[in-house]
Every structure is written in C-alpha cells, then in structure tokens.
DNA sequence: CTAACTTTGTTAAAAAAATAACAATCTTTA
DNA sequence: TAAAGATTGTTATTTTTTTAACAAAGTTAG
C-alpha cells in the first residue's frame, strides 16, 4: 500500500503503534543535533529491521533520499504531522485522584500540544485543588462545561465502576476521543475513539514472563 | 502447538498479551457468580472470535468440557496460575514522584500478590515520606538494600535521564524483571525481562486516530 | 564528469496470526 | 439409556505482518 492509494485504504494498527516509537527516537536524534540517518541505522537503534521501518513509512509518503537516507528534522516533522502533533489538542480529565493528578501535572503533554483545559472530581478533597494551574471542579458541572467548551479528548482516571457513566457524559458532550486508564472496556459509538492504557495488564505480562523463564519450558517468542 | 509440546516451544507474545484481558473478564464473571461460560459467550463479551480464545487457551492446556464449556472458577484459577498470580511477587519502586506515588498507593497490586517492599528517591521531599505504609528511602541505599532482600521486580518511575543507571543497579542487585514507566528503551542482559508502560505512546496513537478520522482518508484497520 | 557506492521505495516471499471447519465427545433431555 | 444438541480442541485455510530482494535513483570521491 502506498500513500497514493484510493480513499478507504487502511493503515494497519500495528504500524500506527510503532509511529510514537519512531517519533521518540527521532526527537532524541534531533536533540543530539544529528542531521541525517539511514533506515538501517535508525532501525538498529530501535531494534527492528530496516525493511519494516521503510515499509511503515511508505504508508504515508516518500520522506527519504536514495543514497543519502533521511534528514532527521524533515522526517520528524513528517512523523509529527502524521501523529497530529502539529496542532493543539484540548483535553479534560475526570477523576483527580492519585493517577489523575500525576497525569495532570506531567509537563511533557503540554509541551507537545496536549492541553488540559479542566479537571473534575466527585469528592471534596480533590475539588477546589489547584493542580499545575488547573482548578478541579465538581463533576456535576462536567456536562454543562462540555456544552460551552470544544474539547477533543476526555481522560478518565476514575475507578472502573464510574468509568462508563463518565464516558457517556463525555460522548454526549461531543468529545471525539477517550483516553481511559480504568481497567474496563468502555462502550462508545463508532465515531468516538477509545484508547485504553493497560497499566495492570502490563504488570501481568511481566509476571507471566518471570514465571516462565529459565526453565526451558514455555518461553516467549517476540 | 499444544501444551504437550517439547521443551523449547514458544508461546507467541500476542497470546500472552491477551491473557490479562481474559483474566479480567473471568474475574468479573466470578464476581457476578456466573458458574459456566462457553468460548462463544466469553469471546463475544471480549470482542474477539471464539476460535481465537480457544486457540489461545490450547497453548496452555485443556480447560474446557465438550458440550458444556468452561467452569468460570476453574478457568480463572488456571489463567491466574499461568500468569503467576498464584504466588507473591516482591517489588521495589524507584522514583517516588507523582506517578510513582500513584503506583505505590494503588491497592489492586497488593490484592493480587504484588508486594512493594520498599521505595527509593533522590530528593528529600519524597524521602522519609510514608506512602501507604512504605517509607521512601534515599536512593543511595538501593544497592545495599538489594543485597539483603530478595526482590523480583524493580519499578522505575524516575525521569528518563536516570532510568538506565537505576536499571543497572537493579540488574546488579539481582532483580529478574523491570517495570519501566520512563519513556526510554532500557538496555539489560537477556535474563532480565523489561516491560515498558507506554503511557505517552498511547496518547499519540489516540491523537493519530482523531486526526485521521471521518475524512475517508487513512482510516485505521484493527 | 564518471564510476563506484549507498540507500530508498516497492514488489515478492516467508512467517506469523487469525479465522474457519470439523471430528470427537460431553451434556442434556426424554 | 439413547438420541439430539452443544461445545471443545485441533487441524486446515485465509489473512496479516514481517522480512527479503532488487531496480531505480541519488551521493560521493576521484
Ligand atoms: N494508580 C495506579 O497505579 C493504577 C494502576 C492501574 C490502573 N489504575 C486505574 O486508574 C484509575 C484511577 O486510579 P487512582 O489510583 O488514581 O485511584 P484514586 O482512587 O486515587 O482516584 C480516583 C478518583 O476518581 C474520583 N471519582 C470517583 N468517582 C467519580 C466520578 N463519578 N466522577 C468524578 N470523579 C470520580 C475519586 O474521587 C478519586 O479522586 C482507576 O480506575 C484505577 O483502577 C490505576
Ligand atoms: N506522570 C505522567 O503522567 C507520565 C506519563 C508518561 C510517562 N511518565 C514517565 O514516568 C516517569 C515519572 O514521571 P512523574 O510524573 O512521576 O515525574 P516526577 O518528576 O513527579 O517524579 C520523578 C521522581 O524521580 C525522582 N528521581 C530523579 N532521579 C532519581 C534517581 N536517580 N534515583 C531515584 N529517584 C530519582 C525525583 O526526585 C522524583 O521524585 C518519568 O520518566 C516520566 O517521563 C509519566
């Protein structure tokens, strides 16, 4: 598949999931003021094949030069554009608990154009708290807030038991994406994208690997 | 491949990553006191094919009964055992910042047998702080601590710039696995498993999807 | 300017993963 | 107890993903 393909062509999810990794390595190279890099060098750093890297990029366009490789600045610019990092994205967070506060105060989101416009909670302690300049409001005001403000992404960091009701309010309020940290599969209409952060799942995968290691039994293939 | 295969047979990583999802749905069923479930019903809930579910499970054994399905209790017991949830795992956390404190105080890890034995930080404010019964110690004591205590997993929630040096100390101290929240690819010997939690990567994937939605151009295939 | 290299983008082949198919066999009902 | 129905575990097929191969095109050095 090439970037010239007819409308309706699909980019595989496996490819999209690798883009943030490319973005990260390219950012590092740019910070080190490396000017150019070949698919072979970059792939080696990342730990994949050059073939896969070139194949992935070719889904989106021709960013390299034969005999030369890729200009780091140019390729990073293109990858950023593909990922939507070339414009701001506005977010609200619901559930200003331990994890929610960590997410709210993480500076790297803002620096990449992900802007928290507001935060909401149910209980009094988080409500009225000021976290990195964002005042936590009572959650009953979420619905009316979304009527007034254009919000792209709702971030759910409430307990799993409350996540679906919050998702419903977010969807009704017109958000286009939900970033969900609660360990539950949310039901949303097709036009709302849900991205689930699998923190606990990840620990179980690690646990599995520790359990089945060194015996020569049931090892893992990557 | 069957569970009877000769030693050296490999379980694909894609299969292992689905096990925690099965675990979660089975736990929910158990909580609802559902006694039995067929591969068809469970797969429908999860949103995969019955074929895939049965195929995955058959990597580990024969847990069902023809004409009946699976006993929820029994299957959950087996999945828990496969994931290593049938015994305690001892952990230390390094970097008791915003995210580190959220992880330390999350009760669902302890309830599943993941036990934080200690936490470490560099700066004074987190050090001496008591988080859910765990006293944060100066990070310079990490090395000697690991000599005295048997720790399975080291959890890294320091900034990326310090993650590799911490990983080196953990490896030297004999941990078998590293759960890494820092956005950097750690270099470790083969016998130490690293599991990376992709929080920021996940947000970029969501951003991509919002960007390429509804135009009929570059849609996503799952 | 030319020739020897290098490296891309793309097509082809191989490998892995998902899905379908179905015999074997257990459950349920009568 | 027997016959009908349900569901598994496994093998076969299809689809997806990864890797390899290579012509085309640009770079670099002399
Ligand atoms: N902390 C972790 O390490 C961790 C790990 C994996 C998953 N998670 C998940 O992330 C989510 C948040 O975890 P946490 O540790 O921050 O929990 P937490 O209890 O510290 O925070 C949850 C917050 O949500 C608020 N809340 C509850 N119901 C609400 C509602 N209806 N509307 C608005 N706010 C509401 C609570 O008042 C609280 O402030 C949970 O779903 C948890 O399962 C957390
Ligand atoms: N907070 C988030 O939402 C988020 C999202 C994605 C990734 N991350 C990553 O998770 C990690 C932690 O993030 P955070 O928000 O908690 O940052 P933070 O700054 O709040 O916490 C980092 C902690 O690590 C400590 N530290 C620094 N160097 C250390 C060392 N050598 N030894 C021991 N402790 C040390 C600091 O004193 C601090 O307490 C970072 O790598 C960050 O990039 C965080």
């Amino acid at each position: 598949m090439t970037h010239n393909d007819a409308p309706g062509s699909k980019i595989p999810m496996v490819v999209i999931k690798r883009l943030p990794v490319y973005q990260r390595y390219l950012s590092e190279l740019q910070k080190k003021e490396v000017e150019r890099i070949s698919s072979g060098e970059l792939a080696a750093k990342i730990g994949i094949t050059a073939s896969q890297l070139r194949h992935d990029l070719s889904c989106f366009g021709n960013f390299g030069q034969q005999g030369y490789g890729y200009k780091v600045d140019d390729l990073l610019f293109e990858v950023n554009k593909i990922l939507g990092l070339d414009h701001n994205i506005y977010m609200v967070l619901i559930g200003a608990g331990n994890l929610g506060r960590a997410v709210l105060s993480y500076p790297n989101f803002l620096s990449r154009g992900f802007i928290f416009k507001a935060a909401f909670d149910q209980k009094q302690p988080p409500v009225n708290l000021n976290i990195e300049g964002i005042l936590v409001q009572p959650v009953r005001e979420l619905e009316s807030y979304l009527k007034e403000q254009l919000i792209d992404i709702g971030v759910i960091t409430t307990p799993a038991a409350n996540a679906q009701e919050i998702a419903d309010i977010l969807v009704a309020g017109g958000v286009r994406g939900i970033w969900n940290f609660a360990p539950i599969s949310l039901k949303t209409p097709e036009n709302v994208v849900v991205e689930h952060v699998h923190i606990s799942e990840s620990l179980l995968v690690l646990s599995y690997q520790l359990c089945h290691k060194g015996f020569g039994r049931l090892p893992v293939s990557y």
Side-chain angles (χ1 to χ4, degrees), chain A:
Chain A
M1 169 165 41
T2 79
H3 58 294
N4 301 317
D5 278 356
S9 71
K10 303 251 184 304
I11 309 287
M13 196 61 185
V14 280
V15 173
I16 295 164
K17 284 192 179 159
R18 282 191 291 263
L19 293 178
V21 180
Y22 302 160
Q23 202 273 347
R24 175 157 57 85
Y25 277 89
L26 286 167
S27 295
E28 276 175 26
L29 288 170
Q30 190 180 59
K31 202 156 50 183
K32 287 186 205 155
E33 302 189 33
V34 176
E35 265 197 18
R36 78 180 202 184
I37 194 150
S38 69
S39 62
E41 286 173 285
L42 182 52
K45 273 181 185 292
I46 298 175
I48 60 174
T49 64
S51 220
Q52 181 163 70
L53 178 55
R54 290 202 304 273
H55 205 284
D56 284 356
L57 292 177
S58 79
C59 293
F60 303 100
N62 302 353
F63 308 126
Q65 274 178 277
Q66 279 125 326
Y68 179 91
Y70 302 85
K71 286 192 177 168
V72 170
D73 285 353
D74 292 1
L75 186 55
L76 179 56
F77 179 84
E78 294 293 344
V79 171
N80 279 341
K81 203 166 66 180
I82 294 165
L83 286 171
L85 296 178
D86 56 342
H87 54 77
N88 288 340
I89 292 191
Y90 297 97
M91 314 202 289
V92 296
L93 181 142
I94 299 94
N98 291 305
L99 188 57
R101 288 197 290 264
V103 171
L104 273 179
S105 52
Y106 189 56
N108 284 21
F109 296 141
L110 185 60
S111 70
R112 296 209 247 180
F114 296 96
I115 300 170
F116 280 108
K117 298 283 282 183
F120 299 87
D121 204 293
Q122 198 174 41
K123 281 200 244 169
Q124 195 48 243
V127 166
N128 289 333
L129 221 70
N130 192 308
I131 299 160
E132 303 288 319
I134 298 151
L135 187 74
V136 180
Q137 303 170 45
V139 71
R140 64 186 131 75
E141 288 172 25
L142 173 61
E143 203 175 330
S144 62
Y145 179 92
L146 292 172
K147 282 203 184 109
E148 288 160 23
Q149 301 279 331
L150 260 180
I151 297 297
D152 301 298
I153 293 176
V155 182
I156 299 181
T157 47
T158 66
N162 309 299
Q164 184 62 59
E165 55 173 311
I166 297 298
D168 294 341
I169 297 172
L170 289 169
V171 167
V175 306
R176 303 183 301 131
I178 292 177
W179 197 27
N180 175 40
F181 287 78
I184 187 173
S185 303
L186 298 174
K187 286 172 189 62
T188 59
E190 271 192 31
N191 60 325
V192 175
V193 183
V194 177
E195 184 68 24
H196 183 179
V197 182
H198 308 268
I199 298 182
S200 297
E201 280 88 338
S202 159
L203 183 57
L204 297 199
V205 169
L206 181 53
S207 170
Y208 171 92
Q209 288 173 281
L210 293 188
C211 227
H212 303 262
K213 189 169 61 107
F215 290 100
R217 299 198 304 109
L218 297 178
V220 170
S221 73
Y222 284 90

